Every structure is written in C-alpha cells, then in structure tokens.
C-alpha cells in the first residue's frame, strides 16, 4: 500500500507505536502548512523552520495522546502555533515580533524576477499590517483550506471570531496588493 | 471580485501565501526533523548512561558500608582462619598436604576413595 493511501490517523497510530517512518510521512505531508504558520508568527524563514521543528518534536512526544477520531491537522497545527509563540517569547529580548523585511529578501535568488520580488515584499509588508491572529486565520483558511471551525480550534477562539479575522485580513491584503490582485486571479 | 465574506478560500491570496511563505523542500525539512528525533533518542540513552556509572558506584559504596557495619556489629568475634583450618574443614586427606613431593594421580584417587 502506498503511503499516500494511508490516512493521517493511521499514520499517527503507527507513530504512537514507535514507527518513526510513519511520523516522517506525517512531517512530509504537513511541513509546508506548519512552516507557513510558523512564518506568519515569526520574522524569518530560519526561525520559522526552527519553531516548526520544535512543534513536530512536541507532536512526536505526545503522539500517543492524539485522538484518532478527530482530524489530525488542527491537532498538529495547534502544537506548531504554540511552539512558534514559545519561540517568539524566548527570542523576544533580541527582536520584535513583527514580520521583518528580511523575510522578503532572505530567500530571493538572482534568478527571481523583479516582479516576483516586489510581490513578495508587498505581501510581507501587507502581512505586517495584520495582527498575528488575522495572519494565521487567513493563511490557514485561504492557503491551507482549513474550515473556520478547525481554525477556531487551533487558535482557541470562537468560530465567529475566525470569520471576522479572515474578513479583515482579506480586506487588508487585497488593498495592499491591489496592483497585483486582479492579475493573480 | 470575491466577497471578503465568502466561505470559500480566496484562491489568489491562498496561492500567493503558499508561494511566498514557508521553506521550499519539505523532504529536506522532514529529514532534519527525523534527525532531531533520533538525536533526542540518543540523548535519552546518554542520560541513562550518565546515571549508570554513579549508580554502580553508589551501590558498591552501600554494599561496603553494610559489610563494614556488619563486621563492626559482630564485635571482632570472628577469628582469623588459616589455610590449614580451611583445608581440614573441607575434609582434604592429610596425606596430600604432608607429602614431601607432588602426589601422583593414583595416590590422590586412593586417598579420596579411602576417605569415603
């Protein structure tokens, strides 16, 4: 059976039995979303990767407490978001908690087009305008496809608050990215 | 334009966030996480190893202390035992001990059988 045919809950059950390969498959599946969530909480890709790794390690340690009858992604994402927030608290003496402009230029190579760089910079600037909870809500909803109820579970807020956060975040992003938004659609 | 109130994901914003946020290679990242998990397991063994040696030393110290305490508790009544006393208590034939030269196998057997 291919690993892609195996559900998250089945992999988690195997991981709880000590199967590191099963947990590795869960990491591969959910790393992109986890790293994006950590990125919108923290200020750099490198810090986000460290925090996401902390989150996965915490998930590995507590995998036996995961309820297989519930969706895996929100359970994992809550751990990752908490890990990113803990990381930010530990780092607080060094930097502020805002998304830094360094994120815009950090991964850009010379091959990237000027327009792409500009778009990334605009996106980072726009995200900096948003409170952390709105950044997380809009990223999980629009980029990851989480349901409002799942995001509410991750962030520990009512579902209506999530809807409001997504609404306000979209309005800000669309305004800041107006020159690009119509092309992107 | 899509309404901000839409219950469906905004594909344009979603695509933008996916393309520009987060690292690139999930397989490399997963390998890094797995290495960290393996390192954590090593650390647990290291902790056990660190505890093992002091534990053995402590156990030996306790055994020595208890032995010394028992010895002192016996009030020095234990007498020193010589090799001859021990041999005699074990029932070794006297001929084997007093023979001027090393005994042959026949002499040893004869002494043992005769002692039975």
């Amino acid at each position: 059976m291919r690993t892609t045919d195996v559900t998250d809950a089945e992999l988690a059950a195997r991981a709880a039995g000590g199967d590191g390969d099963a947990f590795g498959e869960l990491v591969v599946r959910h790393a992109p979303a986890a790293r994006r969530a950590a990125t919108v909480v923290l200020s750099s890709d490198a810090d986000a990767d460290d925090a996401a790794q902390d989150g996965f390690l915490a998930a590995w340690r507590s995998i036996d407490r995961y309820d297989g009858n519930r969706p895996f992604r929100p359970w994992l994402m809550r751990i990752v978001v908490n890990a990113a927030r803990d990381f930010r608290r530990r780092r607080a003496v060094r930097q502020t908690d805002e998304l830094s402009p360094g994120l815009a230029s950090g991964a850009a190579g010379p091959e990237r087009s000027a327009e792409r760089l500009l778009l990334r910079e605009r996106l980072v600037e726009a995200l900096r305008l948003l409170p952390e909870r709105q950044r997380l809500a809009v990223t999980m909803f629009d980029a990851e496809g989480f349901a409002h109820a799942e995001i509410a579970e991750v962030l520990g807020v009512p579902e209506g608050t999530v809807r409001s956060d997504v609404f306000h975040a979209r309005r800000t992003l669309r305004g800041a990215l107006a020159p690009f938004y119509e092309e992107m659609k | 334009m899509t309404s901000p109130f839409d219950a469906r994901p905004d594909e344009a914003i979603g695509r933008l966030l996916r393309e520009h946020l987060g690292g690139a290679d999930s397989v490399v990242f997963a390998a890094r996480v797995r290495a960290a998990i393996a390192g954590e397991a090593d650390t647990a063994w290291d902790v056990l190893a660190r505890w093992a040696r002091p534990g053995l030393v402590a156990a030996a110290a306790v055994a020595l202390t208890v032995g010394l305490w028992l010895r002192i508790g016996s009030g020095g009544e234990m007498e020193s035992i010589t090799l001859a006393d021990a041999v005699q208590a074990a029932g070794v034939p006297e001929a084997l001990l007093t023979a001027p030269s090393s005994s042959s196998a026949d002499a040893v057997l004869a002494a043992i059988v005769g002692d039975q």
Side-chain angles (χ1 to χ4, degrees):
Chain A
M1 181 186 286
R2 292 177 305 161
T3 52
T4 49
D5 297 330
V6 183
T7 66
D8 285 351
E10 288 168 333
L11 288 171
R14 281 163 46 183
D19 185 342
D21 289 338
F23 191 76
E25 174 61 22
L26 286 171
V27 174
V28 171
R29 283 186 188 182
H30 300 291
R35 295 162 87 190
R36 272 190 288 276
T39 301
V40 299
V41 174
L42 297 161
S43 61
S44 75
D45 287 343
D47 283 353
D49 277 1
D50 287 345
Q53 177 176 310
D54 289 348
F56 278 114
L57 283 173
W60 166 253
R61 289 186 208 111
S62 57
I63 193 72
D64 56 339
R65 294 202 292 273
Y66 162 66
D67 178 358
N69 295 315
R70 299 173 65 83
F72 180 78
R73 277 204 316 170
W75 180 82
L76 172 67
M77 204 57 67
R78 183 167 196 158
I79 292 174
V80 170
V81 168
N82 285 337
R85 287 171 171 167
D86 287 345
F87 192 98
R88 184 184 56 199
R89 275 191 285 273
R90 292 198 302 271
R91 194 195 56 184
V93 291
R94 292 186 278 127
Q95 308 174 240
T96 65
D97 62 351
E98 296 295 325
L99 283 163
S100 73
L103 181 65
S105 56
E111 74 280 4
R112 299 228 177 155
S113 68
E115 189 179 356
R116 184 176 168 81
L117 277 174
L118 181 61
L119 180 58
R120 183 176 164 90
E121 283 183 13
R122 285 289 184 87
L123 173 65
V124 171
E125 287 170 9
L127 286 170
R128 291 178 67 185
L129 299 172
L130 303 175
E132 178 204 282
R133 202 180 65 205
Q134 286 186 20
R135 295 198 299 258
L136 283 167
V138 76
T139 302
M140 282 191 274
F141 189 77
D142 284 336
E144 319 299 352
F146 277 72
H148 288 116
E150 290 177 325
I151 300 171
E153 185 183 335
V154 172
L155 300 179
V157 297
E159 195 175 324
T161 303
V162 173
R163 290 180 185 277
S164 171
D165 282 344
V166 171
F167 164 73
H168 288 292
R170 278 177 173 175
R171 192 171 60 178
T172 302
L173 291 177
R174 286 170 181 167
L177 301 169
F180 306 94
Y181 187 74
E182 287 303 318
E183 289 180 28
M184 293 187 308
K185 285 202 298 182
Chain B
M1 179 181 283
T2 312
S3 164
F5 286 109
D6 265 358
R8 294 166 298 172
D10 182 316
E11 287 298 327
I13 289 178
R15 191 167 57 249
L16 190 63
L17 290 167
R18 282 193 299 272
E19 286 178 4
H20 294 278
L21 296 183
D25 195 336
S26 292
V27 175
V28 171
F29 177 78
R32 173 185 156 172
V33 172
R34 294 203 59 181
I37 288 172
E40 194 169 71
D42 288 345
T43 302
W45 281 111
D46 289 344
V47 170
L48 284 175
R50 278 198 297 275
W51 276 98
R53 185 168 296 179
L56 286 173
V57 170
V62 168
L64 277 173
T65 305
V66 169
L68 191 62
W69 179 73
L70 287 173
R71 172 114 185 164
I72 292 170
S74 67
E77 291 171 1
M78 293 176 67
E79 297 173 359
S80 58
I81 300 171
T82 64
L83 176 63
D85 295 335
V87 167
Q88 195 169 11
V92 177
E94 192 176 350
L96 293 179
L97 298 173
T98 56
S101 60
S102 57
S103 308
S104 67
D106 291 342
V108 172
L109 281 172
I112 292 173
V113 170
D115 198 46
Q116 294 298 314

